[in-house]
Amino acid sequence: TVKMFHIRKTCLTLCVYGFFAALSKFALVDAKSSKAVQVGDLSIDVSGKSGAIKVKRINLGKKKSKQSSVQISLDALREIDVDGNIVGQKGKEKHSLESFSSKDFTFGVDEFDYTVVTPVTTTNVTNSTNTTNTNSTTTNTTVTEYINTTATGAKVSFSTTLDNGSEVGVETVLISGAGEVGTLTEKWSVLPGDMKFNIDLSNWEWCDPCSDGTGEFIDIDIEIKGSKAKPSPKHKKGGPKHDKNKTWELGDGATLDLSDEVFLDGNWTSMPEGFPRLVIKNEKQLYTFRFPKFNDTVFYDPIVSFDPFFEGVTDSANAIFATSVSFIALIAGVASYILV
């Protein structure tokens, strides 16, 4: 009996130890107006009212003394016709949203040990169905094959519903295990402390038509801002010119990787030419993504990564230094003028 007691006590101790060990790696904070999740050196804080995400990465640099932050906000969403005109603005149920600030989002941690999958091949499949003895119906579908990568992390999802019943979802993966992610034609390496986030539109009620036109695309504006006053394109040496619109340096070691590929109704397809695009509007750094018309769902996944060896002076410090230099130069000019 004494021996069994010690065994049970040991098991209980190990279980409790394992529970707190898990908490040390993944932390979930439930605030009244926001939800916060931390995985290692990366944390996100999601607003329950607007879906805005505050991303923070700590322990950067050789001395683990640097940190970097990125703000991601859904800004606006528009259903447009083939000419780019907004549709669905009239009537009770709007098909566009000029601001997400008042939208309520539901939040959930789907998995703490999620394995990222990445597409490797697509296969066209032809199916024939006999309707009569002489006639048959032929349908063509595309099957995408996926493989599990070594990239793992905590999967956190939140979503909202528009007035017309259409759903907008955001899925984030806080990377805890290094690996490779991407589309059929593009691959990116991710490290612990990076973040992959996905935009998911589903159950869309299209203007087909509405009184002001027929919907053919969805434009969604997302503000993604680091410490830089203006992000700079990062062109990969030897790569095509259009890559300059895909990778952006946000400041303090943060990088945004974009793609022009979207997963639409089970098939990979490209956005229209010129998208995604960056627009600076009222000091907002807005990235516009244009999704072609879909029946069921459309899925898009950018990546925010952080340089673990970032040692540079922060962009905010650079701005302060530049302002100080300008001020000193102004004082010196005034002094020299008075002396003359």
Side-chain angles (χ1 to χ4, degrees), residues 30-284:
D30 187 353
K32 186 175 181 180
S33 59
S34 65
K35 309 285 184 178
V37 178
Q38 181 171 348
V39 176
D41 294 334
L42 180 70
S43 63
I44 63 170
D45 194 318
V46 182
S47 171
K49 194 63 181 174
S50 64
I53 313 170
K54 294 179 181 178
V55 186
K56 185 177 181 180
R57 175 73 154 84
I58 60 173
N59 294 332
L60 297 172
K62 187 176 181 180
K63 295 182 179 180
K64 307 293 184 183
S65 59
K66 305 291 184 180
Q67 67 180 38
S68 184
S69 298
V70 175
Q71 175 83 23
I72 303 172
S73 305
L74 299 175
D75 189 75
L77 181 148
R78 299 172 297 278
E79 185 173 329
I80 60 175
D81 63 15
V82 68
D83 296 317
N85 301 311
I86 301 175
V87 298
Q89 298 186 92
K90 301 177 181 179
K92 183 179 180 181
E93 296 179 347
K94 310 297 183 186
H95 289 244
S96 299
L97 191 64
E98 289 305 314
S99 174
F100 282 84
S101 60
S102 62
K103 298 298 294 184
D104 292 320
F105 280 75
T106 58
F107 176 95
V109 179
D110 301 329
E111 294 182 55
F112 270 133
D113 196 20
Y114 173 71
T115 299
V116 179
V117 296
T118 188
V120 287
T121 59
T122 57
T123 305
N124 292 322
V125 178
T126 301
N127 300 308
S128 296
T129 303
N130 291 325
T131 54
T132 66
N133 292 332
T134 57
N135 296 323
S136 64
T137 301
T138 302
T139 58
N140 294 315
T141 58
T142 302
V143 177
T144 302
E145 180 183 352
Y146 291 85
I147 61 170
N148 289 340
T149 70
T150 55
T152 57
K155 183 179 176 184
V156 180
S157 300
F158 47 101
S159 61
T160 189
T161 303
L162 304 186
D163 294 340
N164 64 351
S166 302
E167 296 178 10
V168 179
V170 178
E171 177 185 281
T172 64
V173 180
L174 284 67
I175 302 296
S176 58
E180 192 176 68
V181 300
T183 67
L184 275 175
T185 58
E186 303 154 308
K187 296 291 183 287
W188 299 274
S189 295
V190 290
L191 298 172
D194 293 340
M195 187 189 79
K196 176 177 180 288
F197 71 100
N198 311 319
I199 307 162
D200 182 9
L201 306 182
S202 59
N203 298 324
W204 205 263
E205 293 291 335
W206 291 92
C207 281
D208 196 24
C210 291
S211 59
D212 51 1
T214 300
E216 294 294 339
F217 300 95
I218 297 294
D219 277 5
I220 184 166
D221 295 337
I222 301 180
E223 183 179 14
I224 306 175
K225 189 180 187 314
S227 62
K228 276 192 171 184
K230 183 178 180 181
S232 56
K234 185 177 181 180
H235 178 57
K236 296 180 180 178
K237 189 176 181 180
K241 286 186 177 180
H242 67 266
D243 277 352
K244 67 186 176 73
N245 295 324
K246 290 185 176 182
T247 304
W248 297 88
E249 292 181 346
L250 304 179
D252 289 351
T255 298
L256 172 67
D257 281 304
L258 302 177
S259 171
D260 56 7
E261 296 289 309
V262 295
F263 194 57
L264 187 149
D265 291 335
N267 299 312
W268 288 98
T269 188
S270 298
M271 292 185 195
E273 187 175 353
F275 292 90
R277 65 172 55 154
L278 169 65
V279 177
I280 307 297
K281 182 179 179 181
N282 298 328
E283 298 185 354
K284 288 184 177 181

